[in-house]
Amino acid sequence: MRRAGQRQAAKLLGVGEVKFFGLGEQSLLDDRRELYENLVRVIRQVRPQRGVTWSPEWNWKRFRSCHPDHLATGAAALTAIYPDAGNPFALAYLREEEGLEPWTVAEVWLINSPEREVNHHVDITGTFDRKVAAVTPTLGGPGYPSRPENTP
């Protein structure tokens, strides 16, 4: 159910490919090594200029948006981006066995960072409706009850 919602959201946003690692929700802390290796692999395959991920830090002003899986995802992504995706000696088997050369991601944008760390804002006014349409199918899956109308 969550995968279908993610695919639908990606399609609405014009994303051409979505990869799933098959890790269970609320288990990312347990599967940290597997997540990290998968992220390094995908970075070397896709070769992105920019990474966008969750901040691995608690944002106390938006506490309820700091799900442990979001924090774990941010930590794993940052570890994969630097230094290991660009390090030829890290996970050498990716180069030797899979032909994936090191790749350095030029910049990283963090979502939901603590206010003291925010140094860039993107005005999404023109695409806000599309963002809401993309997020909507990903909500309400197992373990994710609908948000009451009186909460932000």
Side-chain angles (χ1 to χ4, degrees), residues 83-145:
D84 292 342
N87 181 349
F89 303 106
L91 303 177
Y93 75 91
L94 291 176
R95 190 175 85 261
E96 295 162 3
E97 297 172 18
E98 299 180 31
L100 298 174
E101 293 297 326
W103 178 256
T104 300
V105 178
E107 64 182 13
V108 180
W109 290 7
L110 300 179
I111 300 166
N112 202 40
S113 293
E115 192 171 311
R116 71 181 185 286
E117 300 294 336
V118 175
N119 62 9
H120 183 76
H121 293 88
V122 177
D123 182 359
I124 63 166
T125 303
T127 58
F128 186 76
D129 290 340
R130 196 166 66 161
K131 176 198 183 224
V132 171
V135 171
T136 301
T138 69
L139 301 176
Y144 293 86

Side-chain angles (χ1 to χ4, degrees), residues 1-20 134 137-138:
M1 182 172 196
R2 302 276 293 167
R3 287 183 181 200
Q6 291 295 328
R7 284 188 187 100
Q8 183 179 352
K11 184 177 180 180
L12 286 168
L13 296 173
V15 174
E17 183 180 7
V18 179
K19 295 183 184 239
F20 296 100
T138 69

Side-chain angles (χ1 to χ4, degrees), residues 17-124:
E17 183 180 7
V18 179
K19 295 183 184 239
F20 296 100
F21 297 148
L23 302 174
E25 292 187 43
Q26 300 183 9
S27 69
L28 295 185
L29 292 173
D30 299 331
D31 299 324
R32 202 175 313 193
R33 179 71 186 187
E34 183 180 354
L35 174 61
Y36 151 78
E37 288 185 14
N38 283 331
L39 288 168
V40 172
R41 177 179 285 106
V42 169
I43 290 167
R44 290 182 181 187
Q45 290 170 338
V46 175
R47 305 172 81 77
Q49 297 300 311
R50 176 183 302 137
V52 180
T53 189
W54 288 94
S55 171
E57 291 186 71
W58 284 97
N59 181 341
W60 295 106
K61 288 191 175 193
R62 300 188 65 201
F63 176 75
R64 296 209 183 272
S65 65
C66 292
H67 188 282
D69 279 352
H70 297 168
L71 301 173
T73 297
L78 290 175
T79 302
I81 289 168
Y82 181 81
D84 292 342
N87 181 349
F89 303 106
L91 303 177
Y93 75 91
L94 291 176
R95 190 175 85 261
E96 295 162 3
E97 297 172 18
E98 299 180 31
L100 298 174
E101 293 297 326
W103 178 256
T104 300
V105 178
E107 64 182 13
V108 180
W109 290 7
L110 300 179
I111 300 166
N112 202 40
S113 293
E115 192 171 311
R116 71 181 185 286
E117 300 294 336
V118 175
N119 62 9
H120 183 76
H121 293 88
V122 177
D123 182 359
I124 63 166

